[in-house]
Amino acid sequence: MPMAEKILEVKGLTKYFDVQGGFLKKKGQVRAVENICFDLYNSETLGIVGESGSGKSTLGRALLKLLKSTSGEVVYKGKNILDLSDTNLSLIRRELQMVFQDPYASLNPRIKVGNTIAEPILANKMVSTSGQAREKTLKLLELVGLRPEMYERFPHEFSGGQRQRISIARALALEPKVLVCDEAVSALDVSVQAQILNLFNQLKNQLDLTYIFISHDLAVTKYISNRIMVMYLGEVMELAPTEKLFSKTFHPYTEALISAIPEPSTKGKRKRIILEGDIPSPIDPPSGCKFRTRCFKTMKKCKNVHPEMVEVESNHFVRCHLYDARKEA
Ligand code: SF4
């Protein structure tokens, strides 16, 4: 896709959590997200993919200042939103909305779904009367494929897919420009997943939205994304337009993720790369390359030198010494 104008610039975004024992059994800092840099372009869908523990959901929340970052910048309309006061942030946050994984948890069971959607419309003075808020809500329900009479129903009367449609309608109520979708289809059955992905695509075209689509599922991410960013232990390992990432994969971690996607039986069999062990603890990540303890191409240099991100081809970035010309320190 031709690169459009930048809508968001992320510079060195870092989030560490202090931990006191707990499940990590150690005092210290969880290095959840480290030095993330990327630009988001108008009308694109940027997929962010990685295993559980890769930092992708923390990154999604840090981007919208739903949690406080340790350092870095997120520039939207020329302003670093991480520096804004709550008042100024609330104006911008209308334009940057989030859709969460679990529609069950994000809807209040005691509030009619119509009112759930209408409430932020009124609270943010998008319209002046409750009648207008109701009208706008009915249009939003229609937009996400729900019937008008559903306004009066409660969340428990809906299926999982319908609840996710309600969550999407609520996110759209404030007329956002960017939607950050965090595992937005992961809780749904495969057939319902496809319907919601198609809805995201349809809304993107209709409303000229830009998406950040966070998922652990590379096949789902491939279906919906123009570009894909692969994360591991809080860092970006590879970032490329979707077609390039699949046609010419550079990073060993991406290779392994792609090899795990089931193929249609008519195609020649791709060799599955099984990664040894689990993702290491982010409280004590490996030295050098964070992926080295599971990498099937690891070299001496990988233990001591942290690889930098390099642009191996136009718009194709990789963090791996196989493509990094620097000499060992
Ligand atoms: Fe593997 Fe080394 Fe590349 Fe890391 S830097 S991905 S360990 S080859």
Side-chain angles (χ1 to χ4, degrees):
M1 122 175 175
M3 282 301 175
E5 166 191 338
K6 283 178 202 171
I7 191 164
L8 206 68
E9 287 172 72
V10 180
K11 302 177 186 176
L13 192 62
T14 297
K15 175 64 188 173
Y16 295 158
F17 294 100
D18 290 329
V19 287
Q20 306 261 332
F23 75 98
L24 289 166
K25 298 188 178 88
K26 211 168 173 183
K27 257 190 181 179
Q29 266 187 331
V30 173
R31 292 156 63 177
V33 163
E34 282 201 291
N35 193 25
I36 304 286
C37 302
F38 68 92
D39 296 327
L40 182 69
Y41 294 92
N42 216 356
S43 309
E44 78 163 332
T45 298
L46 172 68
I48 301 183
V49 76
E51 292 166 280
S52 169
S54 62
K56 57 194 189 305
S57 291
T58 303
L59 173 61
R61 281 165 175 75
L63 286 174
L64 302 192
K65 210 183 169 182
L66 296 177
L67 51 81
K68 197 172 178 310
S69 296
T70 306
S71 58
E73 291 181 30
V74 178
V75 180
Y76 180 71
K77 291 189 170 169
K79 289 180 184 144
N80 176 13
I81 64 173
L82 304 186
D83 278 349
L84 294 180
S85 65
D86 286 350
T87 319
N88 292 331
L89 181 66
S90 71
L91 291 172
I92 277 189
R93 215 183 247 143
R94 280 185 200 169
E95 299 183 9
L96 308 170
Q97 289 287 310
M98 193 139 186
V99 177
F100 295 96
Q101 172 178 4
D102 187 357
Y104 302 83
S106 58
L107 297 171
N108 186 326
R110 285 185 290 277
I111 299 183
K112 287 178 183 171
V113 300
N115 294 339
T116 294
I117 301 167
E119 191 272 329
I121 296 174
L122 272 174
N124 285 277
K125 300 190 174 61
M126 306 292 287
V127 294
S128 27
T129 67
S130 52
Q132 288 168 337
R134 184 182 173 87
E135 223 170 273
K136 192 170 162 65
T137 300
L138 288 169
K139 281 191 188 141
L140 285 164
L141 287 176
E142 191 187 350
L143 195 64
V144 299
L146 296 172
R147 297 191 306 279
E149 62 269 25
M150 293 178 166
Y151 189 107
E152 305 296 339
R153 298 197 187 152
F154 290 92
H156 74 267
E157 298 177 70
F158 293 88
S159 66
Q162 286 174 323
R163 285 180 185 139
Q164 196 53 294
R165 287 175 192 266
I166 295 162
S167 301
I168 295 166
R170 190 177 50 181
L172 295 177
L174 302 182
E175 298 172 12
K177 304 271 185 266
V178 177
L179 272 191
V180 177
C181 307
D182 185 11
E183 299 281 10
V185 299
S186 303
L188 306 172
D189 292 342
V190 173
S191 62
V192 183
Q193 277 190 357
Q195 292 166 14
I196 299 295
L197 290 173
N198 289 336
L199 175 65
F200 275 124
N201 274 336
Q202 174 205 318
L203 293 170
K204 179 179 159 176
N205 295 331
Q206 253 174 296
L207 305 174
D208 192 23
L209 293 166
T210 303
Y211 293 138
I212 292 180
F213 194 88
I214 297 168
S215 175
H216 67 281
D217 186 333
L218 186 56
V220 163
T221 313
K222 180 187 181 188
Y223 178 77
I224 199 163
S225 306
N226 305 107
R227 283 192 304 153
I228 295 181
M229 186 162 111
V230 178
M231 286 188 68
Y232 186 82
L233 267 186
E235 283 188 330
V236 179
M237 295 290 143
E238 189 157 5
L239 170 63
T242 304
E243 275 177 26
K244 279 192 173 194
L245 190 87
F246 279 81
S247 61
K248 197 167 178 190
T249 312
F250 285 94
H251 200 284
Y253 181 51
T254 316
E255 259 186 77
L257 292 181
I258 291 177
S259 81
I261 297 178
E263 283 182 294
S265 55
T266 48
K267 284 197 174 173
K269 282 269 171 273
R270 184 199 285 141
K271 193 169 176 284
R272 173 89 198 261
I273 300 164
I274 310 278
L275 293 179
E276 300 291 328
D278 294 323
I279 190 165
S281 162
I283 204 172
D284 190 17
S287 60
C289 172
K290 287 188 179 180
F291 184 58
R292 73 172 169 81
T293 53
R294 299 172 79 200
C295 183
F296 49 94
K297 292 185 177 170
T298 191
M299 312 169 278
K300 190 170 158 247
K301 181 181 183 182
C302 306
K303 189 175 178 185
N304 305 317
V305 185
H306 180 244
E308 297 292 328
M309 204 67 166
V310 289
E311 189 169 12
V312 280
E313 288 183 358
S314 168
N315 297 318
H316 195 150
F317 299 87
V318 183
R319 185 188 299 283
C320 174
H321 288 311
L322 292 168
Y323 315 101
D324 178 351
R326 287 178 311 155
K327 296 274 176 285
E328 186 167 0

